[in-house]
Amino acid sequence: MPTKRDPDKRQRQALERRIQNAMTTIYDPATPNIDLFNMGMIYDIRIELPGSVEIDLAYSSPEHPDNFGLTLRVKTTVEELDEVNDCKVIVVSDPPWTLDRVSEHARINMSVVN
């Protein structure tokens, strides 16, 4: 049973926060004013120490021509973090992405842009 001071758990949580922050620097090609994290397109981040990461990503617009580039940008951005050796991006479609996943911050930006 892990203790409150489980260093691996704390290390994974800290890395997850850094990955989430990194996702705020990448923008959805279909909604270029909103980042992936606030669009709710990052469904899950799994971290295996040392340095292996899997990210579940859903497209907001599955037919958008820049989606392939998006997965590559996520992989590259995460692998630039010092603690990450390898990042695998898994495109998921179940459940499909909907506007319900968008953060309040993104909703405000969407209403300003539209």
Side-chain angles (χ1 to χ4, degrees), residues 21-49:
N21 286 336
M23 294 302 95
T24 66
T25 68
I26 304 172
Y27 294 85
D28 176 23
T31 313
N33 297 321
I34 311 295
D35 64 82
L36 299 185
F37 186 73
N38 282 292
M39 282 292 289
M41 295 167 60
I42 304 301
Y43 278 28
D44 194 21
I45 299 170
R46 291 178 300 284
I47 299 168
E48 288 296 323
L49 297 177

PDB file of all heavy atoms in Angstrom, residues 21-49:
ATOM      1  N   ASN A  21       0.314  21.620 -18.784  1.00  0.00           N
ATOM      2  CA  ASN A  21       0.758  22.972 -19.140  1.00  0.00           C
ATOM      3  C   ASN A  21       1.290  23.018 -20.564  1.00  0.00           C
ATOM      4  O   ASN A  21       1.027  23.971 -21.306  1.00  0.00           O
ATOM      5  CB  ASN A  21       1.822  23.477 -18.166  1.00  0.00           C
ATOM      6  CG  ASN A  21       1.243  23.845 -16.828  1.00  0.00           C
ATOM      7  OD1 ASN A  21       0.068  24.147 -16.700  1.00  0.00           O
ATOM      8  ND2 ASN A  21       2.086  23.811 -15.807  1.00  0.00           N
ATOM      9  N   ALA A  22       2.025  21.990 -20.964  1.00  0.00           N
ATOM     10  CA  ALA A  22       2.541  21.935 -22.332  1.00  0.00           C
ATOM     11  C   ALA A  22       1.403  21.867 -23.339  1.00  0.00           C
ATOM     12  O   ALA A  22       1.492  22.447 -24.432  1.00  0.00           O
ATOM     13  CB  ALA A  22       3.474  20.733 -22.492  1.00  0.00           C
ATOM     14  N   MET A  23       0.306  21.202 -22.984  1.00  0.00           N
ATOM     15  CA  MET A  23      -0.831  21.097 -23.899  1.00  0.00           C
ATOM     16  C   MET A  23      -1.533  22.446 -24.097  1.00  0.00           C
ATOM     17  O   MET A  23      -2.255  22.634 -25.067  1.00  0.00           O
ATOM     18  CB  MET A  23      -1.836  20.055 -23.412  1.00  0.00           C
ATOM     19  CG  MET A  23      -1.325  18.627 -23.413  1.00  0.00           C
ATOM     20  SD  MET A  23      -0.770  18.022 -25.027  1.00  0.00           S
ATOM     21  CE  MET A  23       0.991  18.333 -24.958  1.00  0.00           C
ATOM     22  N   THR A  24      -1.288  23.394 -23.198  1.00  0.00           N
ATOM     23  CA  THR A  24      -1.883  24.724 -23.373  1.00  0.00           C
ATOM     24  C   THR A  24      -1.101  25.553 -24.381  1.00  0.00           C
ATOM     25  O   THR A  24      -1.510  26.665 -24.715  1.00  0.00           O
ATOM     26  CB  THR A  24      -1.986  25.499 -22.039  1.00  0.00           C
ATOM     27  OG1 THR A  24      -0.674  25.782 -21.550  1.00  0.00           O
ATOM     28  CG2 THR A  24      -2.805  24.726 -21.008  1.00  0.00           C
ATOM     29  N   THR A  25       0.003  25.007 -24.908  1.00  0.00           N
ATOM     30  CA  THR A  25       0.776  25.718 -25.931  1.00  0.00           C
ATOM     31  C   THR A  25       0.469  25.197 -27.335  1.00  0.00           C
ATOM     32  O   THR A  25       1.028  25.695 -28.307  1.00  0.00           O
ATOM     33  CB  THR A  25       2.293  25.605 -25.669  1.00  0.00           C
ATOM     34  OG1 THR A  25       2.705  24.251 -25.857  1.00  0.00           O
ATOM     35  CG2 THR A  25       2.644  26.072 -24.265  1.00  0.00           C
ATOM     36  N   ILE A  26      -0.386  24.192 -27.425  1.00  0.00           N
ATOM     37  CA  ILE A  26      -0.758  23.605 -28.719  1.00  0.00           C
ATOM     38  C   ILE A  26      -2.230  23.896 -28.958  1.00  0.00           C
ATOM     39  O   ILE A  26      -3.067  23.656 -28.089  1.00  0.00           O
ATOM     40  CB  ILE A  26      -0.516  22.079 -28.732  1.00  0.00           C
ATOM     41  CG1 ILE A  26       0.947  21.770 -28.390  1.00  0.00           C
ATOM     42  CG2 ILE A  26      -0.893  21.487 -30.089  1.00  0.00           C
ATOM     43  CD1 ILE A  26       1.229  20.301 -28.190  1.00  0.00           C
ATOM     44  N   TYR A  27      -2.530  24.367 -30.155  1.00  0.00           N
ATOM     45  CA  TYR A  27      -3.899  24.790 -30.456  1.00  0.00           C
ATOM     46  C   TYR A  27      -4.590  23.827 -31.407  1.00  0.00           C
ATOM     47  O   TYR A  27      -3.966  23.249 -32.296  1.00  0.00           O
ATOM     48  CB  TYR A  27      -3.885  26.218 -31.016  1.00  0.00           C
ATOM     49  CG  TYR A  27      -3.429  27.185 -29.963  1.00  0.00           C
ATOM     50  CD1 TYR A  27      -2.082  27.415 -29.739  1.00  0.00           C
ATOM     51  CD2 TYR A  27      -4.349  27.809 -29.137  1.00  0.00           C
ATOM     52  CE1 TYR A  27      -1.668  28.267 -28.730  1.00  0.00           C
ATOM     53  CE2 TYR A  27      -3.938  28.665 -28.119  1.00  0.00           C
ATOM     54  CZ  TYR A  27      -2.589  28.877 -27.928  1.00  0.00           C
ATOM     55  OH  TYR A  27      -2.183  29.717 -26.924  1.00  0.00           O
ATOM     56  N   ASP A  28      -5.879  23.678 -31.184  1.00  0.00           N
ATOM     57  CA  ASP A  28      -6.721  22.840 -32.029  1.00  0.00           C
ATOM     58  C   ASP A  28      -6.767  23.454 -33.428  1.00  0.00           C
ATOM     59  O   ASP A  28      -7.119  24.617 -33.572  1.00  0.00           O
ATOM     60  CB  ASP A  28      -8.125  22.775 -31.405  1.00  0.00           C
ATOM     61  CG  ASP A  28      -9.120  22.015 -32.254  1.00  0.00           C
ATOM     62  OD1 ASP A  28      -8.693  21.175 -33.082  1.00  0.00           O
ATOM     63  OD2 ASP A  28     -10.320  22.260 -32.093  1.00  0.00           O
ATOM     64  N   PRO A  29      -6.417  22.698 -34.468  1.00  0.00           N
ATOM     65  CA  PRO A  29      -6.441  23.267 -35.813  1.00  0.00           C
ATOM     66  C   PRO A  29      -7.842  23.727 -36.243  1.00  0.00           C
ATOM     67  O   PRO A  29      -7.972  24.667 -37.018  1.00  0.00           O
ATOM     68  CB  PRO A  29      -5.923  22.150 -36.717  1.00  0.00           C
ATOM     69  CG  PRO A  29      -5.843  20.928 -35.891  1.00  0.00           C
ATOM     70  CD  PRO A  29      -5.946  21.319 -34.454  1.00  0.00           C
ATOM     71  N   ALA A  30      -8.875  23.095 -35.708  1.00  0.00           N
ATOM     72  CA  ALA A  30     -10.239  23.473 -36.082  1.00  0.00           C
ATOM     73  C   ALA A  30     -10.717  24.707 -35.309  1.00  0.00           C
ATOM     74  O   ALA A  30     -11.648  25.386 -35.730  1.00  0.00           O
ATOM     75  CB  ALA A  30     -11.192  22.307 -35.855  1.00  0.00           C
ATOM     76  N   THR A  31     -10.089  24.985 -34.171  1.00  0.00           N
ATOM     77  CA  THR A  31     -10.437  26.144 -33.343  1.00  0.00           C
ATOM     78  C   THR A  31      -9.113  26.762 -32.896  1.00  0.00           C
ATOM     79  O   THR A  31      -8.701  26.584 -31.755  1.00  0.00           O
ATOM     80  CB  THR A  31     -11.270  25.714 -32.123  1.00  0.00           C
ATOM     81  OG1 THR A  31     -12.297  24.833 -32.548  1.00  0.00           O
ATOM     82  CG2 THR A  31     -11.897  26.901 -31.430  1.00  0.00           C
ATOM     83  N   PRO A  32      -8.429  27.477 -33.778  1.00  0.00           N
ATOM     84  CA  PRO A  32      -7.047  27.882 -33.513  1.00  0.00           C
ATOM     85  C   PRO A  32      -6.839  28.871 -32.364  1.00  0.00           C
ATOM     86  O   PRO A  32      -5.708  29.132 -31.991  1.00  0.00           O
ATOM     87  CB  PRO A  32      -6.595  28.494 -34.837  1.00  0.00           C
ATOM     88  CG  PRO A  32      -7.825  28.779 -35.599  1.00  0.00           C
ATOM     89  CD  PRO A  32      -8.882  27.856 -35.103  1.00  0.00           C
ATOM     90  N   ASN A  33      -7.892  29.361 -31.771  1.00  0.00           N
ATOM     91  CA  ASN A  33      -7.744  30.276 -30.636  1.00  0.00           C
ATOM     92  C   ASN A  33      -7.800  29.571 -29.289  1.00  0.00           C
ATOM     93  O   ASN A  33      -7.650  30.214 -28.259  1.00  0.00           O
ATOM     94  CB  ASN A  33      -8.827  31.352 -30.675  1.00  0.00           C
ATOM     95  CG  ASN A  33      -8.710  32.207 -31.916  1.00  0.00           C
ATOM     96  OD1 ASN A  33      -7.611  32.532 -32.334  1.00  0.00           O
ATOM     97  ND2 ASN A  33      -9.825  32.538 -32.520  1.00  0.00           N
ATOM     98  N   ILE A  34      -8.051  28.253 -29.295  1.00  0.00           N
ATOM     99  CA  ILE A  34      -8.209  27.508 -28.047  1.00  0.00           C
ATOM    100  C   ILE A  34      -7.218  26.352 -28.023  1.00  0.00           C
ATOM    101  O   ILE A  34      -7.102  25.585 -28.982  1.00  0.00           O
ATOM    102  CB  ILE A  34      -9.649  26.957 -27.902  1.00  0.00           C
ATOM    103  CG1 ILE A  34     -10.704  28.027 -28.176  1.00  0.00           C
ATOM    104  CG2 ILE A  34      -9.831  26.314 -26.534  1.00  0.00           C
ATOM    105  CD1 ILE A  34     -10.722  29.175 -27.193  1.00  0.00           C
ATOM    106  N   ASP A  35      -6.527  26.200 -26.890  1.00  0.00           N
ATOM    107  CA  ASP A  35      -5.533  25.136 -26.764  1.00  0.00           C
ATOM    108  C   ASP A  35      -6.197  23.779 -26.490  1.00  0.00           C
ATOM    109  O   ASP A  35      -7.367  23.703 -26.116  1.00  0.00           O
ATOM    110  CB  ASP A  35      -4.531  25.476 -25.661  1.00  0.00           C
ATOM    111  CG  ASP A  35      -5.185  25.555 -24.298  1.00  0.00           C
ATOM    112  OD1 ASP A  35      -5.385  24.487 -23.694  1.00  0.00           O
ATOM    113  OD2 ASP A  35      -5.484  26.664 -23.831  1.00  0.00           O
ATOM    114  N   LEU A  36      -5.412  22.730 -26.675  1.00  0.00           N
ATOM    115  CA  LEU A  36      -5.929  21.359 -26.538  1.00  0.00           C
ATOM    116  C   LEU A  36      -6.460  21.064 -25.144  1.00  0.00           C
ATOM    117  O   LEU A  36      -7.479  20.392 -24.993  1.00  0.00           O
ATOM    118  CB  LEU A  36      -4.836  20.340 -26.868  1.00  0.00           C
ATOM    119  CG  LEU A  36      -4.236  20.369 -28.254  1.00  0.00           C
ATOM    120  CD1 LEU A  36      -3.267  19.215 -28.425  1.00  0.00           C
ATOM    121  CD2 LEU A  36      -5.309  20.346 -29.316  1.00  0.00           C
ATOM    122  N   PHE A  37      -5.750  21.542 -24.125  1.00  0.00           N
ATOM    123  CA  PHE A  37      -6.169  21.245 -22.761  1.00  0.00           C
ATOM    124  C   PHE A  37      -7.527  21.874 -22.467  1.00  0.00           C
ATOM    125  O   PHE A  37      -8.429  21.213 -21.958  1.00  0.00           O
ATOM    126  CB  PHE A  37      -5.114  21.707 -21.759  1.00  0.00           C
ATOM    127  CG  PHE A  37      -5.420  21.290 -20.355  1.00  0.00           C
ATOM    128  CD1 PHE A  37      -5.273  19.970 -19.971  1.00  0.00           C
ATOM    129  CD2 PHE A  37      -5.871  22.200 -19.431  1.00  0.00           C
ATOM    130  CE1 PHE A  37      -5.568  19.572 -18.679  1.00  0.00           C
ATOM    131  CE2 PHE A  37      -6.169  21.812 -18.133  1.00  0.00           C
ATOM    132  CZ  PHE A  37      -6.014  20.498 -17.761  1.00  0.00           C
ATOM    133  N   ASN A  38      -7.695  23.155 -22.808  1.00  0.00           N
ATOM    134  CA  ASN A  38      -8.957  23.838 -22.541  1.00  0.00           C
ATOM    135  C   ASN A  38     -10.082  23.397 -23.478  1.00  0.00           C
ATOM    136  O   ASN A  38     -11.248  23.530 -23.139  1.00  0.00           O
ATOM    137  CB  ASN A  38      -8.769  25.356 -22.586  1.00  0.00           C
ATOM    138  CG  ASN A  38      -8.121  25.854 -21.318  1.00  0.00           C
ATOM    139  OD1 ASN A  38      -8.720  25.804 -20.256  1.00  0.00           O
ATOM    140  ND2 ASN A  38      -6.882  26.295 -21.417  1.00  0.00           N
ATOM    141  N   MET A  39      -9.724  22.848 -24.629  1.00  0.00           N
ATOM    142  CA  MET A  39     -10.746  22.280 -25.514  1.00  0.00           C
ATOM    143  C   MET A  39     -11.245  20.935 -24.992  1.00  0.00           C
ATOM    144  O   MET A  39     -12.239  20.414 -25.465  1.00  0.00           O
ATOM    145  CB  MET A  39     -10.188  22.095 -26.934  1.00  0.00           C
ATOM    146  CG  MET A  39     -10.131  23.373 -27.747  1.00  0.00           C
ATOM    147  SD  MET A  39     -11.751  24.034 -28.167  1.00  0.00           S
ATOM    148  CE  MET A  39     -12.315  22.847 -29.368  1.00  0.00           C
ATOM    149  N   GLY A  40     -10.537  20.361 -24.018  1.00  0.00           N
ATOM    150  CA  GLY A  40     -10.939  19.063 -23.484  1.00  0.00           C
ATOM    151  C   GLY A  40     -10.601  17.915 -24.414  1.00  0.00           C
ATOM    152  O   GLY A  40     -11.198  16.837 -24.334  1.00  0.00           O
ATOM    153  N   MET A  41      -9.629  18.125 -25.271  1.00  0.00           N
ATOM    154  CA  MET A  41      -9.258  17.101 -26.249  1.00  0.00           C
ATOM    155  C   MET A  41      -8.274  16.079 -25.688  1.00  0.00           C
ATOM    156  O   MET A  41      -8.085  15.024 -26.282  1.00  0.00           O
ATOM    157  CB  MET A  41      -8.690  17.778 -27.501  1.00  0.00           C
ATOM    158  CG  MET A  41      -9.729  18.630 -28.216  1.00  0.00           C
ATOM    159  SD  MET A  41      -9.039  19.734 -29.462  1.00  0.00           S
ATOM    160  CE  MET A  41      -8.267  18.585 -30.582  1.00  0.00           C
ATOM    161  N   ILE A  42      -7.650  16.385 -24.548  1.00  0.00           N
ATOM    162  CA  ILE A  42      -6.762  15.430 -23.889  1.00  0.00           C
ATOM    163  C   ILE A  42      -7.620  14.621 -22.926  1.00  0.00           C
ATOM    164  O   ILE A  42      -8.086  15.116 -21.915  1.00  0.00           O
ATOM    165  CB  ILE A  42      -5.634  16.161 -23.127  1.00  0.00           C
ATOM    166  CG1 ILE A  42      -4.852  17.081 -24.054  1.00  0.00           C
ATOM    167  CG2 ILE A  42      -4.726  15.145 -22.427  1.00  0.00           C
ATOM    168  CD1 ILE A  42      -4.190  16.386 -25.224  1.00  0.00           C
ATOM    169  N   TYR A  43      -7.863  13.378 -23.282  1.00  0.00           N
ATOM    170  CA  TYR A  43      -8.744  12.527 -22.484  1.00  0.00           C
ATOM    171  C   TYR A  43      -8.027  11.873 -21.310  1.00  0.00           C
ATOM    172  O   TYR A  43      -8.611  11.669 -20.264  1.00  0.00           O
ATOM    173  CB  TYR A  43      -9.348  11.434 -23.366  1.00  0.00           C
ATOM    174  CG  TYR A  43     -10.553  11.861 -24.166  1.00  0.00           C
ATOM    175  CD1 TYR A  43     -10.745  13.177 -24.571  1.00  0.00           C
ATOM    176  CD2 TYR A  43     -11.504  10.930 -24.536  1.00  0.00           C
ATOM    177  CE1 TYR A  43     -11.852  13.545 -25.313  1.00  0.00           C
ATOM    178  CE2 TYR A  43     -12.616  11.289 -25.278  1.00  0.00           C
ATOM    179  CZ  TYR A  43     -12.784  12.591 -25.669  1.00  0.00           C
ATOM    180  OH  TYR A  43     -13.880  12.952 -26.392  1.00  0.00           O
ATOM    181  N   ASP A  44      -6.757  11.517 -21.502  1.00  0.00           N
ATOM    182  CA  ASP A  44      -6.040  10.833 -20.436  1.00  0.00           C
ATOM    183  C   ASP A  44      -4.542  10.982 -20.651  1.00  0.00           C
ATOM    184  O   ASP A  44      -4.076  11.065 -21.798  1.00  0.00           O
ATOM    185  CB  ASP A  44      -6.411   9.346 -20.396  1.00  0.00           C
ATOM    186  CG  ASP A  44      -5.974   8.648 -19.118  1.00  0.00           C
ATOM    187  OD1 ASP A  44      -5.748   9.333 -18.102  1.00  0.00           O
ATOM    188  OD2 ASP A  44      -5.859   7.412 -19.134  1.00  0.00           O
ATOM    189  N   ILE A  45      -3.815  11.029 -19.548  1.00  0.00           N
ATOM    190  CA  ILE A  45      -2.357  11.035 -19.558  1.00  0.00           C
ATOM    191  C   ILE A  45      -1.918   9.911 -18.633  1.00  0.00           C
ATOM    192  O   ILE A  45      -2.275   9.889 -17.464  1.00  0.00           O
ATOM    193  CB  ILE A  45      -1.798  12.379 -19.058  1.00  0.00           C
ATOM    194  CG1 ILE A  45      -2.260  13.534 -19.950  1.00  0.00           C
ATOM    195  CG2 ILE A  45      -0.272  12.325 -18.960  1.00  0.00           C
ATOM    196  CD1 ILE A  45      -1.950  14.913 -19.399  1.00  0.00           C
ATOM    197  N   ARG A  46      -1.174   8.958 -19.193  1.00  0.00           N
ATOM    198  CA  ARG A  46      -0.656   7.841 -18.397  1.00  0.00           C
ATOM    199  C   ARG A  46       0.866   7.932 -18.377  1.00  0.00           C
ATOM    200  O   ARG A  46       1.491   8.063 -19.433  1.00  0.00           O
ATOM    201  CB  ARG A  46      -1.121   6.510 -18.981  1.00  0.00           C
ATOM    202  CG  ARG A  46      -2.626   6.301 -18.811  1.00  0.00           C
ATOM    203  CD  ARG A  46      -3.099   5.010 -19.440  1.00  0.00           C
ATOM    204  NE  ARG A  46      -2.856   4.926 -20.872  1.00  0.00           N
ATOM    205  CZ  ARG A  46      -3.568   5.566 -21.803  1.00  0.00           C
ATOM    206  NH1 ARG A  46      -4.571   6.363 -21.465  1.00  0.00           N
ATOM    207  NH2 ARG A  46      -3.285   5.425 -23.086  1.00  0.00           N
ATOM    208  N   ILE A  47       1.419   7.856 -17.181  1.00  0.00           N
ATOM    209  CA  ILE A  47       2.860   8.002 -17.016  1.00  0.00           C
ATOM    210  C   ILE A  47       3.411   6.757 -16.343  1.00  0.00           C
ATOM    211  O   ILE A  47       2.927   6.337 -15.297  1.00  0.00           O
ATOM    212  CB  ILE A  47       3.179   9.243 -16.153  1.00  0.00           C
ATOM    213  CG1 ILE A  47       2.641  10.500 -16.840  1.00  0.00           C
ATOM    214  CG2 ILE A  47       4.672   9.339 -15.878  1.00  0.00           C
ATOM    215  CD1 ILE A  47       2.646  11.723 -15.959  1.00  0.00           C
ATOM    216  N   GLU A  48       4.406   6.188 -16.974  1.00  0.00           N
ATOM    217  CA  GLU A  48       5.161   5.094 -16.377  1.00  0.00           C
ATOM    218  C   GLU A  48       6.572   5.605 -16.170  1.00  0.00           C
ATOM    219  O   GLU A  48       7.217   6.069 -17.115  1.00  0.00           O
ATOM    220  CB  GLU A  48       5.168   3.861 -17.281  1.00  0.00           C
ATOM    221  CG  GLU A  48       3.851   3.143 -17.346  1.00  0.00           C
ATOM    222  CD  GLU A  48       3.429   2.561 -16.010  1.00  0.00           C
ATOM    223  OE1 GLU A  48       4.293   2.085 -15.256  1.00  0.00           O
ATOM    224  OE2 GLU A  48       2.225   2.586 -15.726  1.00  0.00           O
ATOM    225  N   LEU A  49       7.018   5.552 -14.942  1.00  0.00           N
ATOM    226  CA  LEU A  49       8.373   6.026 -14.660  1.00  0.00           C
ATOM    227  C   LEU A  49       9.360   4.931 -15.025  1.00  0.00           C
ATOM    228  O   LEU A  49       9.063   3.755 -14.845  1.00  0.00           O
ATOM    229  CB  LEU A  49       8.484   6.393 -13.188  1.00  0.00           C
ATOM    230  CG  LEU A  49       7.570   7.539 -12.767  1.00  0.00           C
ATOM    231  CD1 LEU A  49       7.695   7.789 -11.276  1.00  0.00           C
ATOM    232  CD2 LEU A  49       7.874   8.796 -13.529  1.00  0.00           C
TER     233      LEU A  49
END
